[in-house]
Amino acid sequence: VFVTLDAAGLAPDTQKMADLHIANNAGDDVIVDVTMNVPPSPFDPPENVMVDDETGIITWTPPATTIAYDDFDMYTPGDYLAVVAPDLWTTWSNLPGSGEDVVVSDAQFNSPSNSILVELNNDLVMIMNDYTSGVYSMDIDMYVPSGFCGYYNLQKTSTPGEEWGFQIYFQTDGHAIADAGAAAALDFMYNHDEWMDLRLVVDLNADLCSFYFNNELKIEY
């Protein structure tokens, strides 16, 4: 008896258990335990593979990989983020658990069931390496309640305050104003009380930065 198990739509590393009942005319059903393990997704293959005919040197473009990710769902509401995730987050003055740190909250969330609440005087810093080549994207989901404002920036190095590469203000009047290559280079309207998808793509090889708002390219510089 051949049984096909369909893993379509199941996440990698999922385990499904079931009983296979085989009816027969000699007595009770025969019950067979069935376990299906969905293997991890394979790595994407390299791109632009080339071999130099004279030297035999192989070159390729590696596939995109996720360097860092955090949806805050593994933490408990009320946790100070830089305290529970010190390898990824700190504060401007490197003072986890202080007034600069943010707390985990379940008041709003774009993935079940947490987000972080950024309030006045909070100054959260994501810990990253200093990259000098390659193409990188940074995605943030942000929710700004009515009557409030939002802000974030991308700095040129991991040293706080050394140089801003991009910064954007989501103002209380519904204007979003970004310094992108020049002060107030971008001005557009946004909606309070809804999640916004914000993406920066930085091509260090071409010295080019692109900002996307809800998947719409807003500015390149």
Side-chain angles (χ1 to χ4, degrees), residues 10-202:
L10 296 178
D13 294 324
T14 298
Q15 185 180 78
K16 290 290 186 179
M17 305 181 68
D19 292 332
L20 178 63
H21 291 250
I22 303 175
N24 65 90
N25 59 7
D28 294 337
D29 291 354
V30 176
I31 301 176
V32 180
D33 293 330
V34 178
T35 301
M36 179 179 67
N37 292 304
V38 182
S41 298
F43 290 108
D44 292 331
E47 301 174 353
N48 304 322
V49 179
M50 294 180 291
V51 180
D52 188 292
D53 293 335
E54 295 183 1
T55 65
I57 295 176
I58 303 173
T59 59
W60 67 90
T61 302
T65 58
T66 300
I67 297 173
Y69 173 82
D70 202 342
D71 60 11
F72 317 112
D73 289 334
M74 69 179 68
Y75 314 124
T76 302
D79 283 346
Y80 281 104
L81 183 61
V83 172
V84 295
D87 294 334
L88 186 57
W89 302 101
T90 186
T91 72
W92 188 266
S93 304
N94 195 26
L95 295 173
S98 69
E100 290 183 338
D101 206 348
V102 303
V103 296
V104 178
S105 171
D106 58 2
Q108 301 289 344
F109 49 85
N110 198 33
S111 66
S113 54
N114 291 339
S115 63
I116 53 171
L117 176 62
V118 183
E119 297 184 301
L120 182 66
N121 297 323
N122 293 161
D123 214 332
L124 187 67
V125 176
M126 186 177 187
I127 302 170
M128 296 179 64
N129 293 326
D130 290 337
Y131 300 104
T132 57
S133 63
V135 181
Y136 303 87
S137 64
M138 182 177 72
D139 293 81
I140 297 176
D141 294 319
M142 182 179 289
Y143 183 102
V144 181
S146 295
F148 291 87
C149 59
Y151 169 84
Y152 82 99
N153 67 63
L154 180 66
Q155 299 190 78
K156 187 174 180 180
T157 75
S158 59
T159 303
E162 188 167 290
E163 183 177 342
W164 277 257
F166 173 88
Q167 61 181 353
I168 186 166
Y169 303 83
F170 295 92
Q171 303 194 120
T172 55
D173 63 0
H175 279 267
I177 301 175
D179 296 341
L186 176 65
D187 187 337
F188 64 95
M189 300 301 294
Y190 77 98
N191 294 325
H192 285 86
D193 302 317
E194 67 181 34
W195 284 98
M196 302 176 290
D197 180 66
L198 313 172
R199 166 175 282 199
L200 282 168
V201 179
V202 179

